[in-house]
Amino acid sequence: MDRRSFLGRTMAGAAAVALSGLPLGAAVACAPEKKTKGTADLKLSFQEGIAPGNSLTEKLDYMEELGIAGFEPGGVNLAGRAGEIQQALKGRNIRISAICAGFGGFILAEDPKVKAEFDSTMRDIVAAAGGLGSTGVIMVPAFNGQKPCRPHTMETREYLVEQLHELGEYALKCGTTVILEPLNRGEAFYLRQVADAAAICRDSRSAGVKCMGDFWHMQEETSDYAAFMAAGAEYLQHVHVASRGHRLMPGEDGELDNYIDGMRALKEIGYDKYFSFECGTKGDRNVTVPAAVALLREQWNKA
């Protein structure tokens, strides 16, 4: 080692030792400030069963009063309901967020008839979603109870990536995307973490293949922050939220319902899509729903 290299390493080591003696706040202040990729707003969205009301119009009226930005309908018979939904949204500040599944069959089915059912019904929903201006159609590769299913092997992953490429390109032509949803192992062993879903999106080689995170299912993650950062702005297309103990309204599980770590990551990547409720409630929706909205806005401001 020459004298210049020796002095360089010595100076770097001395700086590290000096910083180790500083209070944590002072050390953090010395670090470069993280910069977001864009402006992140908390765009709350409701699935159809969240808001109280006897009709879609009543539910949307309630959502408008709470300042909810997005509506997440189910995909069943979406093409048949498109006109009704468009009419109900006319003149409102609410937009369609994601479409929640609704297709038949599943993409990893071994039975050709079941796979064909998925191909047909999924494409119908994707086309309708594009017409409604949706951010994408949520899909799970296979639930635990869906059998016979292709085995959990590298060959299956390669097959999934190929199928998703075709589906993603079709979604782009329709003006939307398909969104992979990781679930907890009790519901789907095949895809359980956001980073895995993001890697599949990358390998699909289609900008029409995205992924999402669900705070309920993210019990599989060691860190909400790391999960969302792994997907980043390129692949993260949607977020679901529920209480973290019993899948109720945020806040109904008390101190468990802390979303700040994940929200901090969403802010840092400049997440500009929707944050959608997928949950039940034990109480009166007229009480639990606005309380959950208030809690999420409070935590977003703290993140």
Side-chain angles (χ1 to χ4, degrees):
M1 184 184 300
D2 60 28
R3 183 172 180 271
R4 180 176 298 176
S5 298
F6 173 79
L7 288 174
R9 294 190 181 186
T10 302
M11 292 293 288
V17 171
L19 281 175
S20 68
L22 290 174
L24 179 59
V28 170
C30 295
E33 181 181 355
K34 292 183 179 179
K35 296 185 178 181
T36 61
K37 294 185 177 181
T39 301
D41 295 318
L42 182 62
K43 293 167 62 174
L44 293 178
S45 167
F46 281 1
Q47 288 188 341
E48 195 160 353
I50 299 299
N54 296 318
S55 67
L56 180 55
T57 297
E58 288 182 3
K59 292 174 185 291
L60 291 172
D61 287 343
Y62 186 92
M63 290 164 62
E64 274 195 318
E65 290 181 6
L66 279 180
I68 303 304
F71 172 54
E72 181 185 326
V76 175
N77 190 34
L78 185 64
R81 294 190 63 204
E84 172 203 358
I85 294 172
Q86 287 175 324
Q87 183 61 36
L89 290 176
K90 192 173 181 179
R92 299 182 187 271
N93 293 321
I94 299 172
R95 300 291 179 265
I96 299 295
S97 57
I99 306 298
C100 191
F103 47 83
F106 61 108
I107 197 170
L108 294 181
E110 284 190 329
D111 186 332
K113 291 182 180 179
V114 177
K115 174 58 166 58
E117 181 185 10
F118 169 81
D119 291 338
S120 174
T121 56
M122 182 64 171
R123 278 163 173 72
D124 287 346
I125 296 169
V126 167
L132 288 168
S134 169
T135 56
V137 180
I138 299 168
M139 62 170 288
V140 175
F143 287 87
N144 288 341
Q146 291 180 311
K147 298 177 182 179
C149 179
R150 290 176 178 268
H152 195 334
T153 63
M154 182 58 72
E155 289 75 15
T156 296
R157 187 184 188 281
E158 291 170 354
Y159 170 83
L160 176 61
V161 164
E162 291 171 0
Q163 293 294 307
L164 286 172
H165 175 80
E166 295 180 11
L167 187 57
E169 292 300 292
Y170 176 75
L172 287 178
K173 291 178 182 178
C174 295
T176 188
T177 68
V178 293
I179 305 172
L180 293 174
E181 181 176 17
L183 305 183
N184 65 71
R185 69 189 66 201
E187 295 187 35
F189 184 79
Y190 189 84
L191 182 62
R192 296 183 291 106
Q193 293 185 305
V194 176
D196 288 338
I200 290 173
C201 293
R202 176 199 63 202
D203 294 347
S204 74
R205 296 174 294 106
S206 172
V209 181
K210 303 292 186 180
C211 67
M212 62 173 288
D214 182 316
F215 277 101
W216 163 254
H217 294 296
M218 284 165 62
Q219 60 190 279
E220 297 286 345
E221 308 285 352
T222 56
S223 164
D224 296 338
Y225 178 92
F228 286 139
M229 291 299 286
E234 183 174 3
Y235 300 120
L236 191 68
Q237 190 79 348
H238 198 58
V239 172
H240 274 166
V241 68
S243 74
R244 312 202 76 169
H246 299 90
R247 208 175 190 181
L248 302 171
M249 289 292 161
E252 286 193 77
D253 282 324
E255 293 182 359
L256 287 176
D257 297 341
N258 188 317
Y259 311 95
I260 293 176
D261 189 45
M263 288 175 167
R264 188 173 295 118
L266 296 177
K267 283 189 170 183
E268 288 186 17
I269 66 173
Y271 179 73
D272 60 357
K273 305 302 189 300
Y274 292 92
F275 200 103
S276 194
F277 282 58
E278 185 182 58
C279 51
T281 184
K282 290 190 298 186
D284 179 353
R285 289 185 183 274
N286 287 293
V287 176
T288 60
V289 172
V293 168
L295 174 69
L296 293 178
R297 286 175 175 158
E298 177 187 357
Q299 292 192 7
W300 182 262
N301 289 333
K302 290 179 179 178

